[in-house]
Amino acid sequence: MTDKPDASGKHPASYEKHHERGDNMAPYDKPEWGSDVMVDVLRGLDLRYVALNPGSSFRGLHDSLVNYGGDAIEMIEVPHEKIAVALAHGYAKATGRPMGVILHDLVGLLQGTMGVYYSYIDRTPVIVLGGSGPAEHDRRRPNIDWIHAANVQGEAVRAYTKWDHEPRSLASVQTVLARAYRIAMEEPRGPVYVALDAGLQETPLDAPVDLSDLPRLAAVPSPLAPEPTALRQLAEKLCAARRPVLVPSYAGRDPQSFFTLVELAETVGIGVVETHWRLNFPNRHPLNVTGSAVLEDADCVLFVDVKDMGKPTQKLESTTRTISSKLAPGTTVLDIGFNDVGISSWSEDYAELLPTDLSVTADTAIALPLLLEECRAVVAGDDDVRAAERQAWRDDLAGRHDEVWAGWRAKADAKRDEVPVATSRLASDVWEVVKEHDWVLTAGTAAEWALRTWDFDQPYRHPGKQLGTATQIGISLGVALAHKGSGKLVVDLQPDGDLMFDAGALWVASRYELPLLVVMFNNRAYYNDWEHQERLARQRGTPVARAHIGMAIDTPAPDFAALARSFGWWAEGPIEDPDQIQDAVRRAAEHVLATGTPALVDVICQPK
């Protein structure tokens, strides 16, 4: 039985009913193979999608997903394993829910490792599955099953997954996958890897496998709450400060925290400096002083779910790698978050350890509302003098906010008519179109100019900033998948260098009709590294004019619009005249919203 979509693309009622939690345990037919049991478990975990590039090591699971699972778990075919993981990464960032990824044996796992690593450092729950083996050597095909297999396959990603395992029997599949799901979803979240033996997949069932305990096995434990006395002390220190500043990173993974942080900042009178790992605070709020020198004037800094305390609080002289602190001596440093929970012995993404006066270990989704209540109680006891001091700091912060935004506008205005298109002009002209709709920005911010131009007024507007090159287009696919059918305009300000890594990702958006508007931030260079070479050339006295060697994406210049059209996209460009941007982006947006299919506008930009 396969409930396939009709000509309109809609699934029948039985498919939608099957997606409801509690109904998805009932199989369409009686399971006959080991892989059928695996599909029943995955359905029981309420996975809606699985991304994969085909591989023979999971041919049994593939067949069961297609023919036994009845499309309950929709299969997303991708041209590369790294894109598969990145897509799941983006989906998890946008929804807070995991999706599955299947990687072929050892070789597919190795292709997907960068995607797994970025999911790990970005704390996203991804259920990575792999075909393996068969572990029984006498069932292996000569040569191919040997060169694609490994002794404990999870070793390849163990240093940057939260957990890995290989179930040895069909009875253990549900306990292993249930534990993997729990671990991926427990905060701080992250990817897990489970290798599913090819022989086990293809083993005929000789007896039923009882999955009735799966809902209780997979139940995610309650979040980590703060120690009450420590939280009260933190509230007292924060409220006692005359010039407090708050630095959030991952708090925005919980949408409600976006609003709780606003209440906390307004109640106490706290300036907020965003890191953009998640969208934590509205960028146009007067207490958002990102881009100002406020940290240098603070007498108290509160880190909220921050892994890297150094980057927002340190000055860097890039050429000499010289680091100094922005914080004045004697600044009180407070912290609430996961601290060393789940810290890696391998990846140093936790960054430098900063001295703190008080650290409270807790999930901020639980702790922030409690902290807000503690602070309200303290502030309620303010006398008139203290209340006036708080208001004076709020007014000071609002003035800094206005000054920063005025400076950004002045910079943008000065470069408005330049050719190639200034990055600020790209961001502002795209905003003139985007603001007419209910929108989501996927990842990249065009060198932060979207953050200086657009109005990020809701937590779903942005799941978090871009990561390294060769991650953004895959993550953007996942964000678009998460919002498919929502009516939201999903926008990707897409760097050219990133798309060059994963051009095949464009096929995925077209094949699965993802509502994605891509506007190319195309400076025809890997400019981040080009800039590094220019700095070193100046330091060493070598020719700056030769810094472009090995950096340019030119001669020939890629035609991204033609590339997109070859994959079935609506596309326009390349555009060099800044006065043509708005009209082209508006046409593209209208196409995406009218058809639900992707569109691309290629804009030739300045390096920064």
Short mmCIF file of all heavy atoms in Angstrom, two decimals, residues 15 18-19 24 28 43 47-49 65 69-74:
data_model
loop_
_atom_site.label_atom_id
_atom_site.label_comp_id
_atom_site.label_asym_id
_atom_site.label_seq_id
_atom_site.Cartn_x
_atom_site.Cartn_y
_atom_site.Cartn_z
N TYR A 15 -2.72 9.53 4.43
CA TYR A 15 -1.32 9.91 4.61
C TYR A 15 -1.20 10.93 5.74
O TYR A 15 -0.36 10.83 6.62
CB TYR A 15 -0.78 10.48 3.31
CG TYR A 15 0.63 11.04 3.39
CD1 TYR A 15 1.74 10.23 3.19
CD2 TYR A 15 0.84 12.39 3.67
CE1 TYR A 15 3.01 10.73 3.26
CE2 TYR A 15 2.12 12.91 3.74
CZ TYR A 15 3.20 12.07 3.54
OH TYR A 15 4.46 12.59 3.61
N HIS A 18 -1.75 9.40 9.02
CA HIS A 18 -0.60 8.57 9.40
C HIS A 18 0.51 9.40 10.01
O HIS A 18 1.33 8.89 10.76
CB HIS A 18 -0.09 7.84 8.16
CG HIS A 18 0.88 6.75 8.46
ND1 HIS A 18 0.52 5.55 9.02
CD2 HIS A 18 2.22 6.69 8.29
CE1 HIS A 18 1.58 4.78 9.17
NE2 HIS A 18 2.62 5.45 8.73
N HIS A 19 0.53 10.70 9.70
CA HIS A 19 1.56 11.57 10.23
C HIS A 19 1.27 12.01 11.66
O HIS A 19 2.11 12.61 12.30
CB HIS A 19 1.73 12.81 9.35
CG HIS A 19 2.79 12.65 8.32
ND1 HIS A 19 2.69 11.74 7.30
CD2 HIS A 19 3.99 13.27 8.15
CE1 HIS A 19 3.77 11.82 6.53
NE2 HIS A 19 4.56 12.73 7.02
N ASN A 24 1.25 6.62 13.90
CA ASN A 24 2.30 6.20 12.98
C ASN A 24 3.02 4.92 13.40
O ASN A 24 3.99 4.54 12.81
CB ASN A 24 3.32 7.32 12.79
CG ASN A 24 3.89 7.80 14.11
OD1 ASN A 24 3.70 7.15 15.14
ND2 ASN A 24 4.58 8.92 14.09
N TYR A 28 1.64 -0.45 7.52
CA TYR A 28 0.72 -0.61 6.39
C TYR A 28 0.46 -2.09 6.12
O TYR A 28 -0.62 -2.50 5.76
CB TYR A 28 1.30 0.06 5.15
CG TYR A 28 1.13 1.55 5.16
CD1 TYR A 28 2.09 2.36 5.73
CD2 TYR A 28 0.02 2.14 4.58
CE1 TYR A 28 1.93 3.74 5.74
CE2 TYR A 28 -0.14 3.51 4.59
CZ TYR A 28 0.82 4.31 5.17
OH TYR A 28 0.66 5.67 5.18
N ARG A 43 9.35 5.41 11.95
CA ARG A 43 8.02 6.03 11.95
C ARG A 43 7.56 6.30 13.37
O ARG A 43 6.94 7.33 13.66
CB ARG A 43 7.03 5.13 11.23
CG ARG A 43 7.20 5.14 9.72
CD ARG A 43 6.48 3.97 9.06
NE ARG A 43 5.14 3.76 9.57
CZ ARG A 43 4.46 2.63 9.39
NH1 ARG A 43 5.01 1.62 8.74
NH2 ARG A 43 3.24 2.51 9.87
N LEU A 47 9.77 10.64 12.49
CA LEU A 47 10.59 11.30 11.48
C LEU A 47 9.74 11.52 10.23
O LEU A 47 9.11 10.59 9.72
CB LEU A 47 11.81 10.44 11.13
CG LEU A 47 12.83 10.19 12.25
CD1 LEU A 47 14.06 9.50 11.69
CD2 LEU A 47 13.22 11.47 12.96
N ARG A 48 9.75 12.73 9.71
CA ARG A 48 8.93 13.06 8.55
C ARG A 48 9.70 12.91 7.24
O ARG A 48 9.10 12.67 6.19
CB ARG A 48 8.42 14.51 8.67
CG ARG A 48 7.67 14.80 9.97
CD ARG A 48 6.36 14.05 10.04
NE ARG A 48 5.65 14.30 11.29
CZ ARG A 48 4.78 15.27 11.48
NH1 ARG A 48 4.53 16.12 10.50
NH2 ARG A 48 4.18 15.42 12.63
N TYR A 49 11.01 13.11 7.31
CA TYR A 49 11.83 13.09 6.10
C TYR A 49 13.11 12.32 6.36
O TYR A 49 13.60 12.24 7.48
CB TYR A 49 12.22 14.52 5.68
CG TYR A 49 11.07 15.44 5.38
CD1 TYR A 49 10.61 16.34 6.35
CD2 TYR A 49 10.44 15.42 4.13
CE1 TYR A 49 9.55 17.20 6.07
CE2 TYR A 49 9.39 16.28 3.85
CZ TYR A 49 8.95 17.16 4.83
OH TYR A 49 7.90 18.01 4.56
N LEU A 65 11.45 1.61 3.05
CA LEU A 65 10.94 2.98 3.11
C LEU A 65 9.98 3.25 1.96
O LEU A 65 8.93 3.88 2.14
CB LEU A 65 12.11 3.98 3.05
CG LEU A 65 12.92 4.16 4.33
CD1 LEU A 65 14.23 4.88 4.03
CD2 LEU A 65 12.12 4.94 5.38
N GLY A 69 6.88 1.29 3.95
CA GLY A 69 6.56 2.47 4.76
C GLY A 69 5.45 3.33 4.20
O GLY A 69 4.93 4.20 4.89
N GLY A 70 5.12 3.14 2.93
CA GLY A 70 3.99 3.86 2.36
C GLY A 70 4.16 5.36 2.28
O GLY A 70 3.19 6.10 2.41
N ASP A 71 5.37 5.85 2.08
CA ASP A 71 5.66 7.28 1.96
C ASP A 71 5.40 8.04 3.25
O ASP A 71 5.31 9.27 3.24
CB ASP A 71 4.86 7.93 0.82
CG ASP A 71 5.20 7.38 -0.54
OD1 ASP A 71 6.34 6.90 -0.70
OD2 ASP A 71 4.34 7.40 -1.43
N ALA A 72 5.24 7.33 4.36
CA ALA A 72 5.06 8.04 5.64
C ALA A 72 6.29 8.88 5.96
O ALA A 72 6.18 9.94 6.56
CB ALA A 72 4.80 7.04 6.76
N ILE A 73 7.45 8.37 5.58
CA ILE A 73 8.69 9.14 5.70
C ILE A 73 9.10 9.52 4.28
O ILE A 73 9.46 8.65 3.48
CB ILE A 73 9.81 8.33 6.38
CG1 ILE A 73 9.37 7.89 7.78
CG2 ILE A 73 11.09 9.14 6.46
CD1 ILE A 73 10.35 6.97 8.47
N GLU A 74 9.03 10.80 3.97
CA GLU A 74 9.32 11.23 2.60
C GLU A 74 10.82 11.21 2.35
O GLU A 74 11.61 11.72 3.15
CB GLU A 74 8.78 12.63 2.34
CG GLU A 74 8.96 13.07 0.90
CD GLU A 74 8.32 14.41 0.60
OE1 GLU A 74 7.57 14.92 1.45
OE2 GLU A 74 8.59 14.95 -0.49
#
